[in-house]
Amino acid sequence: MFENLQERLGAILNGLTGRGALSEADVSAALREVRRALIEADVALDVVRSFTDRVREKAVGAEVLKSVKPGQMVVKIVHDELVEMLGAEGETIDLNAPAPVVVMMVGLQGSGKTTTTGKVAKRLSERQGKKVLMASLDTRRPAAQEQLRQIGEQVSVATLPIVANQGPVDIAKRAVQAAKLGGHDLVILDTAGRTHIDEPLMAEMADIKRTSNPHEILLVADSLTGQDAVNLAKSFDERVGITGLVLTRMDGDGRGGAALSMRAVTGKPIKLIGVGEKMDALEEFHPKRIADRILGMGDIVSLVEKAAETIDQEKAAAMAKKMQAGKFDLNDLADQLAQMQKMGGMGGIMGMMPGMGKMKDQLSAAGLDDKMFGRQIAIIQSMTPKERSNPDLLKHSRKKRIAAGSGTDAVQINKLLKMHRQMADMMKAMGGKGKKGGMMRGMM
Ligand code: GDP
Ligand code: MG
């Protein structure tokens, strides 16, 4: 499948050799193949349509980087858009609530709810030292509660004692009560599924939700779900309200199209993926990996990334020269800020480091958040070219004009100018020895 697409695209990519901006024709030709790739990856048709529309809008008129072909450029734009649509990296189960935090697993029969319950329990108890209680609310399948009990034994996590002839809502109540009494940090409710969505199932889920007040409701879905993914996610979200998605069987040959569909219709984050039957076959979700998989064109993407890097390197070299000459103006600062935004802003940078959630909150309390980059870039963009290369021109009246133009105020402008002055001084002191990374560190 992968090779075929490469071959098909290869011809088109080679055919498009224009330079400069991407034309409507370039984009359409490449998008035709991309659309096929998405459909083959089982992305729902509606989602494919709205997705390709968005890409078309972004791609037509976009500059083609030196040393790449227009078709390759389109693929890169498609890839970036996929990553964006798939959502943020590093989303995890949110346990930020009074104990016992209730986590409820919902989904169709066989989607992997019970297995995922065990995997999540194992991970949280082993890695975070959480005291976890698991409870099976599946009274429909005779062996279901016993299945979870055995998993509990296997991963050394407590399960709620089985009591005969109790309905799911009563079991849920009992589980929350037991977790409270037992001093558990969290309780995971493993619910029953059906082979398809029906009203009794939804009503049961809604009842369980009402009585147990879960902090997280995770829709567990098989990544091979295909075109049904949209209906599945929509129904569960509309009827029960989900807080996140877990995609199972990502170890199989599915291409992850369901991830995109479900994320697109619900807007809910994909929090974890299952990659096998074993109890530790659970991974964090990496949008870039899934995008590669859906598109099956990872090498084209890295090719274009390399081309973009080369340009960044050329820019960095030019900047080093300016620094040596003691010239680092606001244009350069704007470039730096844009670079940081490209790295995913504060969230992206912090998201790459585990356990940084708290620090992120502190930073944002200090006003050092993603909006900061955008604000600072807006301030610089509101300046005239002369002002940008000579910030000394910026007296009171000019600042007023810039504040109005960028929707900021004099305090924020002064802050930016001060930061720029400090950076420029620092660079002068470094005498051009500094590298890009050093500058960014200096800023933070
Ligand atoms: P439930 O009906 O939703 O509770 O589904 P189960 O948890 O009982 O899982 C059904 C089957 O899928 C079991 O055989 C699991 O071992 C298997 N399974 C669950 N998650 C994964 C996964 O990520 N990868 C693979 N290969 N199998 C899985
Ligand atoms: Mg089950």
Side-chain angles (χ1 to χ4, degrees):
M1 204 187 273
F2 178 56
E3 284 74 20
N4 287 344
L5 181 74
Q6 286 261 347
E7 276 164 25
R8 282 205 311 258
L9 259 165
I12 287 169
L13 299 182
N14 291 330
L16 308 173
T17 52
R19 278 277 151 255
L22 288 172
S23 73
E24 185 98 44
D26 291 339
V27 174
S28 294
L31 276 187
R32 245 191 314 278
E33 295 306 325
V34 166
R35 185 178 298 122
R36 254 183 241 173
L38 295 175
I39 291 169
E40 276 174 13
D42 264 336
V43 178
L45 295 175
D46 283 357
V47 177
V48 172
R49 200 165 307 126
S50 67
F51 177 79
T52 46
D53 284 350
R54 275 169 61 171
V55 169
R56 186 185 307 278
E57 210 165 279
K58 276 202 182 155
V60 174
E63 282 300 313
V64 179
L65 291 173
K66 252 191 280 178
S67 79
V68 301
K69 301 196 174 89
Q72 295 170 325
M73 196 71 208
V74 178
V75 170
K76 176 65 166 70
I77 294 172
V78 167
H79 182 269
D80 289 352
E81 189 70 18
L82 268 180
V83 171
E84 197 177 320
M85 259 181 96
L86 282 166
E89 180 111 9
E91 285 274 1
T92 48
I93 297 184
D94 177 15
L95 300 176
N96 220 335
V101 180
V102 180
V103 177
M104 179 177 168
M105 301 284 181
V106 301
L108 294 182
Q109 198 171 88
S111 61
K113 292 179 298 299
T114 305
T115 312
T116 304
T117 299
K119 289 176 179 177
V120 168
K122 179 174 197 280
R123 165 174 299 222
L124 294 177
S125 65
E126 280 178 8
R127 295 199 192 171
Q128 297 185 31
K130 298 284 180 195
K131 193 173 174 194
V132 186
L133 179 69
M134 305 190 285
S136 169
L137 276 49
D138 188 348
T139 51
R140 204 157 294 105
R141 280 174 43 225
Q145 299 189 53
E146 175 58 20
Q147 182 196 359
L148 188 68
R149 194 193 63 77
Q150 283 175 13
I151 287 177
E153 229 159 59
Q154 193 189 330
V155 300
S156 308
V157 171
T159 47
L160 186 73
I162 300 170
V163 172
N165 300 324
Q166 220 176 17
V169 171
D170 288 331
I171 301 177
K173 269 189 210 156
R174 188 160 57 89
V176 174
Q177 201 57 35
K180 264 184 202 154
L181 291 172
H184 288 86
D185 298 307
L186 78 149
V187 50
I188 309 180
L189 304 177
D190 173 27
T191 66
R194 295 267 203 297
T195 50
H196 59 278
I197 296 159
D198 61 13
E199 183 45 33
L201 174 67
M202 291 301 158
E204 181 177 313
M205 294 304 121
D207 282 348
I208 295 168
K209 178 185 176 181
R210 205 171 310 118
T211 45
S212 60
N213 192 25
H215 186 59
E216 284 270 22
I217 301 178
L218 301 176
L219 173 60
V220 179
D222 186 339
S223 57
L224 301 169
T225 303
Q227 298 290 326
D228 287 337
V230 163
N231 261 338
L232 176 76
K234 232 193 209 159
S235 308
F236 272 100
D237 196 30
E238 281 171 4
R239 195 69 166 77
V240 189
I242 61 172
T243 57
L245 298 155
V246 178
L247 221 55
T248 58
R249 298 212 179 83
M250 284 299 286
D251 50 314
D253 53 7
R255 297 196 38 205
L260 184 69
S261 304
M262 295 196 285
R263 161 80 206 186
V265 295
T266 63
K268 299 292 157 59
I270 299 159
K271 298 205 162 181
L272 292 163
I273 60 174
V275 292
E277 302 198 31
K278 295 227 174 75
M279 280 300 127
D280 41 20
L282 187 71
E283 289 180 1
E284 251 100 72
F285 169 69
H286 297 292
K288 219 164 133 34
R289 278 189 220 161
I290 307 287
D292 285 353
R293 190 158 165 170
I294 291 175
L295 216 50
M297 283 180 283
D299 42 353
I300 291 177
V301 173
S302 44
L303 174 88
V304 179
E305 269 164 6
K306 226 172 268 156
E309 239 168 56
T310 315
I311 292 193
D312 285 347
Q313 277 164 8
E314 283 167 11
K315 264 193 184 169
M319 203 178 290
K321 240 184 209 159
K322 277 188 168 179
M323 280 159 51
Q324 264 162 346
K327 274 188 186 167
F328 174 78
D329 66 16
L330 288 164
N331 283 310
D332 304 319
L333 178 59
D335 272 350
Q336 283 298 308
L337 293 169
Q339 278 277 355
M340 296 204 52
Q341 256 189 337
K342 235 167 59 186
M343 286 170 69
M346 279 296 184
I349 295 165
M350 301 310 239
M352 291 174 210
M353 306 180 232
M356 292 304 263
K358 210 176 238 154
M359 181 146 168
K360 207 157 99 182
D361 294 344
Q362 283 167 353
L363 284 171
S364 77
L368 273 170
D369 55 12
D370 294 339
K371 282 188 210 122
M372 174 189 81
F373 296 125
R375 247 184 343 253
Q376 293 180 329
I377 292 172
I379 292 174
I380 297 175
Q381 279 168 347
S382 298
M383 296 176 184
T384 65
K386 259 192 191 153
E387 289 164 348
R388 277 179 229 166
S389 50
N390 184 11
D392 288 341
L393 291 174
L394 293 170
K395 297 290 180 275
H396 182 67
S397 65
R398 288 183 190 244
K399 280 184 192 166
K400 241 167 89 179
R401 190 202 76 235
I402 292 163
S406 56
T408 59
D409 55 32
V411 176
Q412 293 180 38
I413 295 173
N414 288 336
K415 249 194 208 165
L416 174 87
L417 292 175
K418 187 172 161 203
M419 179 175 90
H420 168 251
R421 237 179 353 258
Q422 283 170 345
M423 286 176 73
D425 287 349
M426 188 177 78
M427 278 161 201
K428 225 188 269 173
M430 289 193 307
K433 271 179 289 176
K435 288 197 218 69
K436 242 178 357 177
M439 282 165 44
M440 289 191 192
R441 242 175 282 132
M443 264 183 63
M444 291 171 74

